[in-house]
Amino acid sequence: MKEILVRSLSGLLYITLLITCLFFEQALMALFFVFGLICLGEFKKLIQLKNYVPYIIFVVLYGVFGYWESIFKTEDGFNEVVQILMVLTIFVQLFLIKDLFSEKTIPLFHSKRFILTTFYLTSAFVFLVLIGNHHERYNPNILLGSFILVWVNDSFAFLVGKNFGKQKLFEKISPKKTVEGFLGGLFFACIASYFIATFTETLGFTDWLILSIIVSVFGTLGDLIESKFKRQANAKDSGIIMPGHGGLLDRLDSIIFAAPIIYLFLRILHYVS
């Protein structure tokens, strides 16, 4: 009972802090900056990287993309550099997905750890900020909706999987995940997209429906990839900062992996509209 109470309180604090900061751009920038550094520290321990360079890269990239116009006094070149970062990030993600399906281990885990810290983790927080600034001015609705879709997907994947799950999704990596749980999370995320579209005017229902699929599929892949990192590191959790939940990376792994794909979808919408 005490464990459930601690878990509920820490989860409530995390959600309250995140939602509150979402409605204030600079507060969100500061929160994601702190979250990013914490996740980076947890991830460095998982991949056994004892080096401060990833922190420097994070501060530089986060600062440059978050405050481009203030630093360079112009918007010229911003979209081009963002597209380069997006291509590199998705390229690394494709390798991680390939390794998830075809490799016993993740080769980048030992050989190219700076690539992982930069294009798996640091760039994800850059894209989270860019999602909030996708419109001409800051709008929290897409970010809030994306987080809600993650929470709905995770919650119902757990509930459906626990009560009806029989067929394992990736037993060697995450024994508790089931195909039924994944489909349940996807189904209820699609349902949630209707209500998000109804209460926000940022995107239409079809757009939110596609986003719900993106979040469910790539969020689950992100969860599985982080589970594989933990398995290779012989660690149950990425950290202990959230009592009852583990590390912050354990809570953000889904949105971290989905963020670049969400931003890519928003870019496509922008060009076709």
Side-chain angles (χ1 to χ4, degrees):
M1 184 66 182
K2 182 180 178 181
E3 183 180 347
I4 296 176
L5 180 61
V6 170
R7 181 181 175 89
S8 299
L9 288 175
S10 62
L12 181 62
L13 177 62
Y14 158 71
I15 292 174
T16 302
L17 180 62
L18 179 59
I19 292 178
T20 301
C21 290
L22 271 173
F23 291 95
F24 305 95
E25 182 178 4
Q26 294 308 313
L28 184 71
M29 291 286 294
L31 182 68
F32 279 165
F33 181 77
V34 174
F35 277 7
L37 291 176
I38 294 173
C39 287
L40 188 55
E42 293 176 348
F43 187 62
K44 281 172 71 273
K45 288 182 180 179
L46 287 182
I47 62 175
Q48 302 165 8
L49 179 59
K50 298 178 180 179
N51 195 301
Y52 290 100
V53 173
Y55 289 116
I56 298 173
I57 295 174
F58 177 86
V59 171
V60 171
L61 285 181
Y62 193 83
V64 166
F65 285 98
Y67 299 98
W68 178 280
E69 192 171 355
S70 299
I71 295 172
F72 299 105
K73 309 301 181 184
T74 179
E75 293 184 357
D76 294 345
F78 179 75
N79 287 330
E80 290 79 3
V81 176
V82 168
Q83 289 180 54
I84 292 172
L85 180 66
M86 182 172 60
V87 169
L88 292 173
T89 299
I90 294 176
F91 187 71
V92 170
Q93 287 186 323
L94 291 175
F95 268 96
L96 289 172
I97 294 172
K98 177 188 73 70
D99 295 340
L100 181 66
F101 283 91
S102 63
E103 300 284 349
K104 292 182 178 179
T105 61
I106 298 178
L108 294 179
F109 186 90
H110 295 295
S111 60
K112 296 180 174 60
R113 289 175 287 184
F114 286 110
I115 290 178
L116 284 175
T117 56
T118 302
F119 298 109
Y120 164 68
L121 197 63
T122 295
S123 61
F125 282 92
V126 170
F127 285 113
L128 284 174
V129 171
L130 293 177
I131 289 169
N133 287 283
H134 176 67
H135 297 277
E136 292 183 0
R137 59 181 182 177
Y138 178 72
N139 188 322
N141 289 336
I142 297 179
L143 259 181
L144 178 59
S146 298
F147 273 101
I148 290 174
L149 289 174
V150 168
W151 297 332
V152 169
N153 178 73
D154 289 351
S155 298
F156 281 97
F158 172 76
L159 291 173
V160 174
K162 183 178 181 180
N163 292 284
F164 305 102
K166 293 181 179 180
Q167 185 175 347
K168 300 297 182 181
L169 187 63
F170 268 91
E171 187 171 9
K172 291 183 178 179
I173 298 174
S174 187
K176 293 182 179 180
K177 289 192 182 300
T178 63
V179 174
E180 292 84 357
F182 166 72
L183 293 176
L186 174 61
F187 174 77
F188 282 99
C190 290
I191 297 297
S193 68
Y194 169 78
F195 294 98
I196 295 172
T198 301
F199 290 102
T200 63
E201 299 179 355
T202 310
L203 299 173
F205 168 64
T206 302
D207 300 328
W208 278 113
L209 182 63
I210 295 173
L211 279 175
S212 71
I213 297 171
I214 290 173
V215 166
S216 294
V217 173
F218 286 94
T220 301
L221 287 172
D223 196 336
L224 288 168
I225 287 169
E226 202 239 346
S227 294
K228 192 164 186 175
F229 279 124
K230 289 189 291 186
R231 187 166 290 274
Q232 284 188 237
N234 294 315
K236 180 182 178 182
D237 299 311
S238 64
I240 58 173
I241 194 170
M242 291 185 66
H245 292 269
L248 189 59
L249 183 58
D250 293 323
R251 299 281 62 81
L252 292 171
D253 53 5
S254 296
I255 194 68
I256 281 173
F257 202 76
I261 311 301
I262 292 172
Y263 185 76
L264 173 61
F265 174 66
L266 294 175
R267 295 283 302 199
I268 293 172
L269 279 182
H270 176 75
Y271 283 121
V272 299
S273 60

